[in-house]
Amino acid sequence: MFDPVIAPSGTLLGLLQRGRGDGTLHALTAPRPEALAALNQCVLRDPRHDWQVENRSLYYARLYLDLGGDLDAVEAHLFDPEDVLDTEESRTGLALAVLGHLASYGRRDALELLRRYAARGTNWAWALDELALRDDDAGLRALAAPTLARFPADAEGDAELAAAVRDAFEPRPWRLWAEDARESVATRVRAAQETGCFDRWQRQMRPTGPRPGWSVQAVFEWAQQGVERGAALHVPAARCLTAVAGPEDRPEIVRAARDGDEGARCTALRYLADSNDHEAFDLIEAAVITGSTAVVDAAVDAFERMRSVAAVDRARRWVRRPDPLGAAAGRMLACRGGAQDRDAVLGALREAVRGEGPDAPTLWTLVDGTGRLGIACAAPVLRHVYRETASSHLRGRAARALAATDPSFPAGFAVECLWDCEETTREVAARHAATGDNRVVDRLRRLAADPAEEAEVQTAVRSRIGPDTTP
């Protein structure tokens, strides 16, 4: 996937790319052509850094409805010749998801466009999944012939069809087609379903990896084989050690953690940390100093998983270190520290923003910890992260932390969060937004009546405007 270029947070495009509630509010007051141009750019060039996790489709679909936008640009994008050349789901996935939501809201043009793309487009499986949730039986049955025509009537085509049926996210179309009145359709789909079930059974009967009776050394060798073929297996290997290792194997495991090859060292560090071994801290510290990048990452991750009082005490000793172990110590204190660790967590938060910017992965844990510990003086930093991060998930975490630390949150960011792209952020806003603003009351009522809204958000909304409450 392309690396998205995110516009500055103060621009309309930058707000919409981030999925911020202020993006919708600004778009509704901007000149309509300008707002639609920015919206189309977001939908046609997915701005998310992690498109499989972050939400944008409902947010953009609602804005299309509010602006009364047409779908000409989306149609041109879906049926562009590039659709044949670039088969990555990320090129068209967001546009198809937006069309799915629009179809749910009754936009007939969106439904028809989804049907056409499912019949002709490269990312047809995604379009079919969207239709499976929204289209009627007749519409889905009409897609049986063009879908099956994608798979040649030979052994290779039948195998590809079986894989498509087996891996379908939404099985409804295939179940309809298996009962189709056309024998040629029903027979082929049923055969593909049976083949998929047989494939699953075969995989279950031929498991790969460790077996009962393996030795500690065999587990280490398996982990190293994973390293050599580019697969990190030290986590499952550490679980295997839990099953096969006895007290007499501890010296061998400690040696591997100290100077074994990469796979064995990562596995041993994970195992010793999970076992709360008394030498785990020193071995983790040595690994961070002398290990490869993979070993350092495994050592830091193993340390952060530890739950003991001794681990928190060691984090207090390590938190000032200018290395990955110091950063991990800050995150541990954010998760499991006490009131005495507020200054250390605040320092780690400021240093991460200063050194790595508002999208640093370490901020996820530090922001959560700031809210958990109620560090009120962290509010300015949290506001900066909220405004500038391109990650809608991190922004949601910042909103939750602000709700716990910033007295101005209910009348400030909480209001715009009602229009945010992430349902968890809208839920926070629904619980905290000050209702002195007429926009808040109107938005709460709209969310309560919107069938596309998540149940958790509607529950939060109704706690504010239910029969026993006054907004």
Side-chain angles (χ1 to χ4, degrees):
M1 179 184 175
F2 51 80
D3 186 25
V5 177
I6 305 299
S9 61
T11 64
L12 174 59
L13 177 59
L15 290 169
L16 292 178
Q17 287 176 320
R18 288 168 172 81
R20 278 183 55 181
D22 254 5
T24 294
L25 297 175
H26 279 65
L28 295 177
T29 59
R32 185 169 175 274
E34 178 186 341
L36 284 174
L39 175 58
N40 284 330
Q41 181 169 339
C42 292
V43 173
L44 307 187
R45 190 169 179 83
D46 194 334
R48 295 171 292 181
H49 283 283
D50 191 344
W51 66 274
Q52 294 177 310
V53 174
E54 296 185 47
N55 296 315
R56 291 291 190 281
S57 55
L58 180 59
Y59 172 83
Y60 293 142
R62 284 171 168 168
L63 190 50
Y64 270 117
L65 291 175
D66 291 339
L67 294 173
D70 61 49
L71 301 177
D72 293 347
V74 176
E75 180 178 9
H77 175 73
L78 292 178
F79 292 102
D80 189 277
E82 188 180 359
D83 189 57
V84 178
L85 303 175
D86 184 356
T87 60
E88 291 294 326
E89 289 184 333
S90 55
R91 195 190 83 83
T92 54
L94 178 57
L96 294 171
V98 169
L99 291 177
H101 284 300
L102 288 174
S104 293
Y105 281 118
R107 286 281 297 260
R108 187 72 185 184
D109 54 345
L111 181 65
E112 295 293 345
L113 189 49
L114 275 174
R115 287 172 174 172
R116 287 173 51 209
Y117 188 81
R120 295 167 45 195
T122 298
N123 194 11
W124 61 271
W126 190 313
L128 188 60
D129 285 337
E130 297 290 342
L131 289 168
L133 298 173
R134 283 116 181 164
D135 208 352
D136 55 30
D137 287 357
L140 291 175
R141 287 195 180 100
L143 292 171
T147 300
L148 294 181
R150 294 175 180 276
F151 304 96
D154 54 26
E156 184 178 351
D158 289 342
E160 292 174 354
L161 176 60
V165 174
R166 182 191 67 218
D167 299 335
F169 191 75
E170 294 291 343
R172 180 179 163 224
W174 302 101
R175 290 173 179 168
L176 276 176
W177 299 341
E179 301 168 357
D180 198 282
R182 294 163 292 184
E183 190 63 27
S184 59
V185 171
T187 300
R188 196 167 185 210
V189 173
R190 283 198 296 267
Q193 289 174 328
E194 293 171 0
T195 300
C197 292
F198 182 69
D199 288 344
R200 291 193 191 94
W201 177 79
Q202 282 188 313
R203 287 200 300 269
Q204 293 169 354
M205 295 299 292
R206 293 198 300 266
T208 59
R211 302 284 195 281
W214 270 30
S215 66
V216 167
Q217 184 57 38
V219 173
F220 286 154
E221 291 173 357
W222 180 65
Q224 183 59 26
Q225 290 169 8
V227 171
E228 292 168 358
R229 64 173 187 268
L233 298 177
H234 64 276
V235 174
R239 290 197 295 268
C240 292
L241 279 188
T242 302
V244 305
E248 69 280 3
D249 297 307
R250 182 181 175 278
E252 181 181 1
I253 296 172
V254 170
R255 284 195 300 273
R258 184 177 294 114
D259 53 19
D261 56 26
E262 188 171 291
R265 196 172 188 185
C266 293
T267 301
L269 289 167
R270 178 76 168 223
Y271 170 81
L272 292 171
D274 286 352
S275 304
N276 287 315
D277 190 278
H278 67 277
E279 285 193 60
F281 297 121
D282 293 338
L283 291 168
I284 287 171
E285 187 173 20
V288 169
I289 295 172
T290 64
S292 65
T293 300
V295 170
V296 171
D297 291 343
V300 166
D301 184 59
F303 171 65
E304 288 191 68
R305 286 174 49 82
M306 300 181 78
R307 300 292 187 269
S308 64
V309 174
V312 176
D313 289 339
R314 187 60 67 105
R316 291 175 179 140
R317 288 173 48 187
W318 285 344
V319 71
R320 304 298 179 189
R321 292 173 61 120
D323 64 5
L325 196 52
R331 293 192 293 271
M332 175 168 282
L333 294 179
C335 291
R336 286 178 278 281
Q340 69 270 36
D341 300 309
R342 287 175 176 172
D343 288 343
V345 173
L346 177 58
L349 176 70
R350 287 171 171 165
E351 183 60 32
V353 173
R354 186 183 306 117
E356 301 179 58
D359 291 312
T362 190
L363 287 176
W364 291 48
T365 305
L366 294 174
V367 165
D368 285 349
T370 302
R372 183 182 72 85
L373 295 172
I375 307 175
C377 57
V381 183
L382 293 173
R383 293 190 205 109
H384 173 76
V385 173
Y386 178 96
R387 292 189 189 97
E388 299 300 327
T389 182
S391 167
S392 54
H393 276 193
L394 178 54
R395 183 176 63 253
R397 289 169 181 255
R400 287 192 291 276
L402 284 167
T405 60
D406 186 1
S408 70
F409 178 73
F413 285 139
V415 175
E416 75 154 279
C417 285
L418 288 170
W419 285 265
D420 197 88
C421 66
E422 295 291 343
E423 65 268 16
T424 52
T425 307
R426 296 195 298 275
E427 181 183 355
V428 170
R431 297 189 184 282
H432 292 91
T435 54
D437 188 330
N438 288 334
R439 295 177 304 169
V440 172
V441 178
D442 291 341
R443 183 62 175 174
L444 289 174
R445 288 173 175 156
R446 181 172 176 178
L447 292 176
D450 190 337
E453 188 52 79
E454 296 292 333
E456 292 81 1
V457 178
Q458 293 190 326
T459 298
V461 169
R462 287 164 184 154
S463 72
R464 301 289 301 280
I465 63 172
D468 298 328
T469 61
T470 301

